[in-house]
Coordinates of all heavy atoms in Angstrom, one line a residue:
E21 N 0.8 -1.2 0.0 CA 0.0 0.0 0.0 C 0.9 1.3 0.0 O 0.6 2.2 -0.7 CB -0.9 0.0 1.2 CG -2.0 -1.1 1.2 CD -3.2 -0.7 0.3 OE1 -3.5 0.5 0.2 OE2 -3.8 -1.6 -0.2
E22 N 1.9 1.2 0.8 CA 2.8 2.4 0.9 C 3.5 2.6 -0.5 O 3.6 3.8 -0.9 CB 3.9 2.2 2.0 CG 4.8 3.4 2.0 CD 5.7 3.4 3.3 OE1 5.3 2.8 4.3 OE2 6.7 4.1 3.2
R23 N 4.0 1.6 -1.1 CA 4.6 1.7 -2.4 C 3.6 2.3 -3.4 O 4.0 3.2 -4.2 CB 5.2 0.4 -2.9 CG 6.4 -0.1 -2.1 CD 7.0 -1.3 -2.8 NE 6.2 -2.4 -2.8 CZ 6.2 -3.4 -1.8 NH1 7.0 -3.2 -0.8 NH2 5.4 -4.4 -1.9
L24 N 2.4 1.9 -3.4 CA 1.4 2.4 -4.4 C 1.1 3.9 -4.1 O 1.1 4.7 -5.1 CB 0.1 1.6 -4.2 CG -1.1 2.1 -5.1 CD1 -0.8 2.0 -6.5 CD2 -2.3 1.3 -4.7
L25 N 1.0 4.3 -2.9 CA 0.7 5.7 -2.6 C 1.9 6.6 -2.9 O 1.7 7.7 -3.3 CB 0.3 5.8 -1.1 CG -1.1 5.2 -0.7 CD1 -1.4 5.6 0.7 CD2 -2.2 5.7 -1.7
R26 N 3.1 6.0 -2.7 CA 4.3 6.8 -3.1 C 4.3 7.1 -4.6 O 4.7 8.1 -5.1 CB 5.6 6.2 -2.6 CG 5.7 6.3 -1.1 CD 7.1 5.8 -0.6 NE 7.3 5.9 0.8 CZ 7.6 7.0 1.5 NH1 7.8 8.1 0.7 NH2 7.8 7.1 2.8
E27 N 3.9 6.0 -5.3 CA 3.9 6.2 -6.8 C 2.7 7.1 -7.2 O 2.9 7.9 -8.2 CB 3.6 4.8 -7.5 CG 4.8 3.9 -7.3 CD 4.5 2.5 -7.7 OE1 3.3 2.3 -8.2 OE2 5.4 1.6 -7.6
T28 N 1.6 7.1 -6.5 CA 0.5 7.9 -6.9 C 0.7 9.4 -6.5 O 0.2 10.3 -7.2 CB -0.8 7.4 -6.2 OG1 -0.9 6.0 -6.5 CG2 -2.0 8.1 -6.6
F29 N 1.3 9.6 -5.3 CA 1.6 10.9 -4.8 C 3.1 11.2 -4.6 O 3.5 11.2 -3.5 CB 0.8 11.1 -3.5 CG -0.7 10.9 -3.6 CD1 -1.2 9.7 -3.2 CD2 -1.5 11.9 -4.1 CE1 -2.6 9.5 -3.3 CE2 -2.9 11.6 -4.2 CZ -3.4 10.4 -3.8
P30 N 3.8 11.3 -5.7 CA 5.3 11.4 -5.5 C 5.7 12.6 -4.7 O 5.1 13.7 -4.9 CB 5.8 11.5 -7.0 CG 4.6 11.9 -7.8 CD 3.4 11.3 -7.1
G31 N 6.6 12.4 -3.8 CA 7.1 13.5 -2.9 C 6.1 14.0 -1.9 O 6.4 14.9 -1.1
K32 N 5.0 13.3 -1.7 CA 3.9 13.8 -0.8 C 3.8 12.9 0.4 O 3.1 13.2 1.4 CB 2.6 13.9 -1.5 CG 2.5 15.0 -2.5 CD 2.5 16.4 -1.8 CE 2.2 17.5 -2.7 NZ 2.2 18.9 -2.0
I33 N 4.4 11.7 0.4 CA 4.2 10.7 1.5 C 5.4 10.7 2.4 O 6.6 10.6 2.0 CB 4.1 9.3 0.9 CG1 2.9 9.3 -0.1 CG2 3.8 8.3 2.0 CD1 1.5 9.6 0.4
I34 N 5.1 10.8 3.7 CA 6.0 10.7 4.8 C 5.6 9.5 5.6 O 4.4 9.2 5.9 CB 6.0 12.0 5.7 CG1 6.4 13.2 4.9 CG2 7.0 11.8 6.9 CD1 6.1 14.5 5.7
S35 N 6.6 8.7 6.0 CA 6.3 7.6 6.9 C 7.5 7.3 7.8 O 8.6 7.9 7.7 CB 6.0 6.3 6.1 OG 7.2 5.9 5.3
N36 N 7.3 6.5 8.8 CA 8.3 6.1 9.7 C 9.2 5.1 9.0 O 8.8 4.0 8.7 CB 7.7 5.4 11.0 CG 8.7 4.9 11.9 OD1 9.9 5.2 11.9 ND2 8.3 3.9 12.8
P37 N 10.5 5.5 8.7 CA 11.3 4.7 7.8 C 11.8 3.4 8.5 O 12.0 3.4 9.7 CB 12.5 5.6 7.5 CG 12.6 6.6 8.6 CD 11.1 6.8 9.1
N38 N 12.0 2.4 7.8 CA 12.6 1.1 8.3 C 11.9 0.6 9.5 O 12.5 0.1 10.4 CB 14.1 1.4 8.6 CG 14.9 1.9 7.4 OD1 14.7 1.4 6.3 ND2 15.7 2.9 7.7
R39 N 10.6 0.7 9.5 CA 9.8 0.3 10.6 C 9.6 -1.3 10.7 O 9.7 -1.9 9.6 CB 8.5 1.0 10.7 CG 7.5 0.7 9.5 CD 6.3 1.6 9.6 NE 5.4 1.4 8.5 CZ 5.5 1.9 7.3 NH1 6.6 2.7 7.0 NH2 4.6 1.7 6.4
T40 N 9.5 -1.8 11.9 CA 9.2 -3.2 12.1 C 7.7 -3.4 12.3 O 7.1 -2.7 13.2 CB 10.0 -3.7 13.3 OG1 11.4 -3.5 13.1 CG2 9.7 -5.1 13.6
L41 N 7.1 -4.2 11.5 CA 5.6 -4.4 11.6 C 5.3 -5.6 12.6 O 4.1 -5.7 13.0 CB 5.1 -4.7 10.2 CG 5.2 -3.6 9.2 CD1 4.7 -4.1 7.9 CD2 4.5 -2.4 9.6
D42 N 6.2 -6.3 13.0 CA 5.9 -7.5 13.9 C 5.7 -7.0 15.3 O 6.6 -6.4 16.0 CB 7.1 -8.4 13.9 CG 6.9 -9.6 14.8 OD1 5.8 -9.9 15.2 OD2 7.9 -10.4 15.1
R43 N 4.4 -7.1 15.8 CA 4.1 -6.6 17.2 C 4.6 -7.6 18.2 O 4.5 -7.3 19.4 CB 2.6 -6.4 17.3 CG 2.0 -5.4 16.2 CD 2.6 -4.1 16.4 NE 2.1 -3.1 15.5 CZ 2.8 -2.5 14.5 NH1 4.1 -2.8 14.4 NH2 2.2 -1.6 13.7
N44 N 5.1 -8.7 17.8 CA 5.7 -9.7 18.8 C 7.1 -9.4 19.1 O 8.0 -10.2 19.2 CB 5.5 -11.1 18.2 CG 5.8 -12.2 19.2 OD1 5.8 -11.9 20.4 ND2 6.1 -13.4 18.8
S45 N 7.4 -8.1 19.2 CA 8.7 -7.6 19.5 C 8.7 -6.2 20.1 O 7.7 -5.4 19.8 CB 9.6 -7.6 18.2 OG 9.1 -6.6 17.3
V46 N 9.7 -5.8 20.9 CA 9.8 -4.5 21.4 C 9.9 -3.5 20.3 O 9.3 -2.4 20.3 CB 10.9 -4.3 22.4 CG1 11.1 -2.9 22.9 CG2 10.6 -5.3 23.6
A47 N 10.8 -3.8 19.3 CA 11.0 -2.9 18.2 C 9.7 -2.6 17.4 O 9.4 -1.5 17.0 CB 12.1 -3.4 17.2
G48 N 8.9 -3.7 17.2 CA 7.7 -3.5 16.5 C 6.7 -2.6 17.3 O 6.0 -1.8 16.7
M49 N 6.7 -2.8 18.6 CA 5.8 -1.9 19.4 C 6.3 -0.5 19.4 O 5.4 0.5 19.5 CB 5.6 -2.5 20.8 CG 4.9 -3.8 20.8 SD 3.3 -3.8 19.9 CE 2.5 -2.3 20.6
H50 N 7.6 -0.3 19.4 CA 8.1 1.1 19.4 C 7.6 1.8 18.1 O 7.2 2.9 18.1 CB 9.6 1.1 19.4 CG 10.2 0.9 20.7 ND1 11.6 0.8 21.0 CD2 9.6 0.7 21.9 CE1 11.8 0.6 22.2 NE2 10.6 0.6 22.9
D51 N 7.7 1.0 17.0 CA 7.2 1.6 15.7 C 5.7 1.8 15.7 O 5.2 2.8 15.1 CB 7.7 0.7 14.5 CG 9.2 0.9 14.3 OD1 9.7 2.0 14.5 OD2 9.8 -0.1 13.9
A52 N 5.0 1.0 16.3 CA 3.5 1.2 16.4 C 3.2 2.4 17.1 O 2.3 3.2 16.7 CB 2.8 0.0 17.0
L53 N 3.9 2.7 18.2 CA 3.7 3.9 19.0 C 4.0 5.1 18.2 O 3.3 6.1 18.3 CB 4.4 3.8 20.3 CG 4.2 5.0 21.3 CD1 4.1 4.4 22.7 CD2 5.2 6.0 21.2
L54 N 5.2 5.1 17.5 CA 5.5 6.2 16.7 C 4.5 6.5 15.6 O 4.2 7.7 15.4 CB 6.9 5.9 16.0 CG 8.1 6.0 16.9 CD1 9.4 5.6 16.2 CD2 8.3 7.4 17.5
D55 N 3.9 5.5 15.0 CA 2.9 5.7 14.0 C 1.7 6.4 14.7 O 1.0 7.3 14.1 CB 2.5 4.4 13.4 CG 3.4 4.0 12.2 OD1 4.2 4.8 11.8 OD2 3.2 2.9 11.7
L56 N 1.3 5.9 15.8 CA 0.1 6.4 16.5 C 0.3 7.9 16.9 O -0.6 8.7 16.6 CB -0.1 5.6 17.8 CG -1.3 6.1 18.7 CD1 -2.6 5.9 18.0 CD2 -1.3 5.3 20.0
Y57 N 1.4 8.2 17.5 CA 1.7 9.6 17.9 C 2.0 10.5 16.7 O 1.6 11.7 16.7 CB 2.8 9.6 18.9 CG 2.4 9.4 20.3 CD1 2.1 8.1 20.7 CD2 2.3 10.4 21.2 CE1 1.7 7.9 22.0 CE2 1.9 10.2 22.5 CZ 1.6 8.9 22.9 OH 1.1 8.7 24.2
G58 N 2.5 9.9 15.6 CA 2.7 10.7 14.4 C 1.3 11.1 13.8 O 1.1 12.2 13.4
L59 N 0.4 10.1 13.7 CA -0.9 10.4 13.3 C -1.6 11.5 14.1 O -2.2 12.4 13.6 CB -1.8 9.2 13.2 CG -1.5 8.1 12.2 CD1 -2.3 6.9 12.5 CD2 -1.7 8.6 10.8
A60 N -1.4 11.4 15.4 CA -2.1 12.4 16.3 C -1.5 13.8 16.2 O -2.1 14.8 16.5 CB -1.9 11.9 17.8

């Protein structure tokens, strides 16, 4: 989804880089929290 949106809106997409999506890890939960607070 992110790759598609970057192609559709070039230069307009910001995201948390190199994030871990696995919630079964501390790193993954750190990135989940960053996404949450970033949206807020």
